[in-house]
Amino acid sequence: MYDVDAQGGGLLDEVEAAEAALRAAAERGAQAGGAGRERFDALIAADQKIEPRDWMPEAYRRTLVRQIAQHAHSEIIGMQPEGNWITRAPSLKRKASLLAKVQDEAGHGLYLYAAAETLGVGRDELVDLLLAGRQKYSSIFNYPTLTWADMGAIGWLVDGAAIVNQVPLCRCSYGPYARAMIRICKEESFHQRQGYEILYTLAHGTPAQHQMAQDAVDRWWYPSLAMFGPPDGESTHSAQSMAWKIKRFSNDELRQRFVDMCAQQIGALGLRIPDPDLRWNDERGAYDYTQPDYAELMRVIAGDGPCNRRRMAHRRRAQADGAWVREAVVAHAKKAADAKKAAAA
Amino acid sequence: MSARSARSAPGRRVGDRAATDLVGYLLRLGDDALIAAQRLAEWSSRAPEMEEDIALTNIALDQLGAARALLTYAGELEGAGRDEDDLAYLRTDREFANCLLVELPNGDFAVTMAKLLFLAAYQHPLYGWLAGSADDRLAGIAAKARKESAYHLEHAALWTVRLGDGTDESHRRMRAAVDEVWPYTHELFATDDLLERLDKAGVAVNPAAVRDGWLDTVEKVLDEATLTRPVDGWTPGGGRRGLHTEHLSYLLAEMQVVHRAHPGATW
């Protein structure tokens, strides 16, 4: 019927290989001598992992905090567009899968906040920065989910793009981040398969379902391409991140890889990619494609996407509505501790 | 569908009253679980803490899993070719047999926990009894659900205590929640002819028999939470006969909207 495994499997193999490399590096032990910057540079050069107790340049730490926090926030904000369809999922089986998927996203957010904590910033502090608008999340979540088919398009395209972005992060030089990414990538590839299956079922269903699926792919295609960030020439953080082996491939390299993957999968779906110029280029050994509208990407990042205000308002409301509950937890724990102390005295 | 319409359902496989009684009973249990799952799922991305978001979703998934098993069995036993989705998405609110407790809006976190505490303290011993039911398939479903509801009960009890014995505000909210939800617990233990027949046949237990245990569990939790058991008075009911609150129709409208817009489609 369909074979997403060929591609998803290839990426999963890379995740496995990254995990094996990580274990091997740990077994070799830190062989770099020296201290401070000299040792840090030697570890990076030897493809070994930087661990929380190791010395690291302040800019390396800052870059990682920014990136891991943005990634964690994306998982948490990313619960909303899909959470939007849980109560309306059209079958009980789909409802259960979607609930579990959104739950996985909360779990990913937790692993990532924990990875950021190893760099000396607490989850509460990062959440405050998000709510104050001082840290970002992936701009893709500022687009609305308008029909059930969007659950398929998000799974196939958005999770697909996320995996292509994240698989190289399994080899990131910072150990806790690399380990979190290995775990996350394994679950994401399952999500992508689920999304593909939703789209496949719709595309091969009634004419109305087919139309719904095509409309969703039409709306999510270019925003998904924009997930890889601005073109290489305009990317501000890239060069240093590559040198530090936080980032392993350029934005454009990853975007091309994603386009090639989707172009191969779309046929079996029975849908089309909304790009009249998408075609195989023999010379390059890759698909030519139309670039997304980067001016739109910048507008959405700056706060003027269709759902930026709604997503932030939702998160702030949840945080504010839960304040009295969190206060009660602290008060109750203190009472319990006091009672224990009194009993011991 | 209600127990009454099950009796007149055409094309059922088993013609005797015992089978139609069981269909009606499975729908009551299944609808309780389904509507509870739907309400709990509304919390996704809204919980007071991220860990609690995950916990509430876990409980919603447990309830949904039990609902699917119960509704699938009801459909098969009825023999009219209805599957879990036909029963969940294509019945009207007058055909749902859930108790009113589960359809009440979530309210604040305290109301949600009061609802969950009362429901889990009922489902846990009920499923425990049903795990020994004369009907093997129901017994199997109940044995799995019993383990899950032990966790639901523990979770709700923990929160009831924390909130009741937390800050002044959380105490006030938890007390108000218990007072608000309490009247709806009476319906859980109401009996009728169907339950009495199933009880006699060893298939189900008359829920009146589990009320003492329920009260014992709930009173202990309320006591630890520095809350007092509300006075019994008003006893709203009718859910088992398809007479619901005004809330259910809205809940179903949302749950069923996509499915009903595409008759006969596969998802």
Side-chain angles (χ1 to χ4, degrees):
Chain A
M1 140 179 147
Y2 59 90
D3 185 18
V4 75
D5 290 0
Q7 277 299 332
L11 289 169
L12 263 188
D13 289 345
E14 282 182 45
V15 175
E16 299 288 352
E19 193 173 16
L22 194 143
R23 253 183 273 123
E27 278 162 21
R28 277 202 309 277
Q31 288 165 350
R37 178 174 296 277
E38 192 191 336
R39 182 165 183 277
F40 174 83
D41 289 344
L43 285 172
I44 297 276
D47 261 338
Q48 291 203 314
K49 300 300 170 198
I50 307 298
E51 294 298 336
R53 285 158 182 273
D54 293 333
W55 182 90
M56 63 187 83
E58 179 53 25
Y60 176 85
R61 195 189 74 89
R62 254 199 330 268
T63 298
L64 278 168
V65 169
R66 181 182 55 76
Q67 184 171 335
I68 298 173
Q70 176 165 331
H71 193 160
H73 300 330
S74 299
E75 297 284 356
I76 300 304
I77 298 289
M79 295 167 73
Q80 293 180 40
E82 291 176 283
N84 182 37
W85 283 92
I86 291 172
T87 57
R88 293 173 292 169
S91 76
L92 296 184
K93 180 171 160 243
R94 294 286 183 213
K95 188 190 290 288
S97 307
L98 187 60
L99 255 173
K101 184 184 172 190
V102 174
Q103 183 185 43
D104 282 348
E105 285 160 10
H108 295 174
L110 290 181
Y111 313 155
L112 287 161
Y113 284 123
E117 275 173 6
T118 65
L119 292 160
V121 252
R123 192 211 300 182
D124 291 348
E125 192 183 334
L126 294 176
V127 168
D128 286 346
L129 288 169
L130 168 71
L131 296 180
R134 290 176 52 207
Q135 280 183 342
K136 305 275 187 210
Y137 54 89
S138 173
S139 64
I140 193 75
F141 301 120
N142 292 316
Y143 289 87
T145 50
L146 301 179
T147 71
W148 168 251
D150 289 23
M151 298 306 98
I154 287 187
W156 182 50
L157 293 173
V158 176
D159 292 333
I163 294 169
V164 169
N165 249 330
Q166 291 170 3
V167 162
L169 291 173
C170 296
R171 289 179 180 273
C172 163
S173 60
Y174 187 59
Y177 192 27
R179 288 189 285 272
M181 290 319 306
I182 287 170
R183 198 162 160 193
I184 289 171
C185 281
K186 288 181 182 177
E187 290 180 10
E188 289 288 357
S189 86
F190 176 69
H191 294 166
Q192 195 213 5
R193 196 167 318 173
Q194 242 176 37
Y196 187 92
E197 208 226 321
I198 289 174
L199 273 187
Y200 183 94
T201 305
L202 293 174
H204 294 80
T206 67
Q209 285 178 305
H210 183 91
Q211 193 182 3
M212 195 196 288
Q214 183 63 57
D215 169 64
V217 170
D218 289 350
R219 280 183 289 109
W220 288 94
W221 173 251
Y222 285 107
S224 299
L225 291 191
M227 284 174 71
F228 297 91
D232 291 349
E234 296 164 29
S235 181
T236 42
H237 302 294
S238 288
Q240 182 61 73
S241 286
M242 298 268 259
W244 278 330
K245 295 185 181 169
I246 294 174
K247 212 176 148 116
R248 298 271 179 166
F249 299 96
S250 78
N251 292 355
D252 288 334
E253 283 170 330
L254 293 171
R255 192 169 5 248
Q256 181 70 58
R257 188 173 182 181
F258 175 67
V259 168
D260 292 349
M261 187 175 110
C262 293
Q264 286 159 21
Q265 292 176 356
I266 192 79
L269 272 178
L271 298 170
R272 58 180 170 69
I273 287 174
D275 179 356
D277 295 325
L278 180 80
R279 61 177 59 87
W280 178 253
N281 181 328
D282 240 349
E283 220 167 279
R284 293 201 306 117
Y287 282 85
D288 289 337
Y289 63 98
T290 305
Q291 293 289 323
D293 178 353
Y294 292 111
E296 175 180 312
L297 173 66
M298 290 307 148
R299 276 198 306 279
V300 178
I301 289 175
D304 289 337
C307 295
N308 298 57
R309 287 165 176 76
R310 183 173 163 76
R311 300 287 182 249
M312 286 302 285
H314 179 111
R315 194 66 245 143
R316 288 192 185 111
R317 198 181 324 120
Q319 185 77 2
D321 288 351
W324 69 271
V325 177
R326 295 189 300 275
E327 284 159 18
V329 171
V330 175
H332 180 74
K334 187 175 178 314
K335 282 184 190 178
D338 289 350
K340 209 171 173 185
K341 231 183 283 172
Chain B
M1 64 187 287
S2 71
R4 213 170 116 241
S5 51
R7 259 167 238 147
S8 57
R12 60 180 189 269
R13 186 168 57 82
V14 188
D16 61 283
R17 176 181 255 185
T20 50
D21 278 355
L22 182 51
V23 170
Y25 185 62
L26 291 167
L27 289 174
R28 293 180 184 192
L29 295 173
D31 289 347
D32 281 355
L34 177 62
I35 304 302
Q38 181 76 1
R39 282 294 188 218
L40 287 164
E42 291 173 13
W43 274 101
S44 176
S45 86
R46 292 181 172 82
E49 289 175 339
M50 282 165 216
E51 288 82 353
E52 186 58 19
D53 219 295
I54 293 174
L56 289 173
T57 306
N58 263 336
I59 299 172
L61 280 167
D62 287 345
Q63 294 281 358
L64 185 54
R68 294 179 63 189
L70 290 160
L71 293 180
T72 297
Y73 185 23
E76 288 175 17
L77 201 59
E78 180 195 42
R82 297 203 286 183
D83 64 13
E84 58 177 22
D85 287 337
D86 294 325
L87 290 168
Y89 291 96
L90 297 175
R91 282 181 299 155
T92 65
D93 44 326
R94 289 283 282 110
E95 294 170 306
F96 270 77
N98 59 279
C99 59
L100 305 184
L101 173 72
V102 292
E103 72 197 44
L104 298 177
N106 284 335
D108 65 8
F109 187 67
V111 172
T112 293
M113 283 304 127
K115 285 175 62 182
L116 184 61
L117 174 69
F118 297 153
L119 179 69
Y122 156 78
Q123 282 182 329
H124 182 60
L126 179 65
Y127 284 137
W129 193 96
L130 291 174
S133 166
D135 185 271
D136 288 345
R137 184 157 164 193
L138 174 57
I141 296 169
K144 178 168 186 292
R146 186 180 68 89
K147 288 182 203 148
E148 294 165 348
S149 63
Y151 161 71
H152 306 170
L153 177 57
E154 194 185 305
H155 190 75
L158 181 76
W159 273 113
T160 303
V161 170
R162 279 172 164 177
L163 297 178
D165 190 22
T167 62
D168 289 347
E169 183 184 8
S170 70
H171 178 83
R172 176 180 62 72
R173 284 180 186 255
M174 196 66 229
R175 192 181 59 202
V178 167
D179 288 348
E180 181 185 329
V181 176
W182 187 266
Y184 295 91
T185 62
H186 296 290
E187 184 188 20
L188 300 173
F189 309 102
T191 188
D192 59 14
D193 292 348
L194 180 140
L195 288 167
E196 278 166 19
R197 287 195 299 273
L198 288 171
D199 185 36
K200 208 169 285 172
V203 173
V205 62
N206 193 326
V210 297
R211 184 156 195 255
D212 285 345
W214 179 89
L215 262 181
D216 199 41
T217 304
V218 165
E219 281 177 349
K220 272 189 195 124
V221 175
L222 293 180
D223 187 52
E224 200 187 334
T226 71
L227 297 165
T228 42
R229 175 189 149 177
V231 178
D232 292 333
W234 182 46
T235 59
R240 304 302 184 199
R241 290 175 289 125
L243 294 167
H244 292 278
T245 65
E246 290 177 345
H247 305 294
L248 184 67
S249 178
Y250 288 97
L251 180 149
L252 295 180
E254 184 175 336
M255 184 172 88
Q256 298 176 340
V257 63
V258 180
H259 188 100
R260 282 186 182 269
H262 299 266
T266 302
W267 300 99

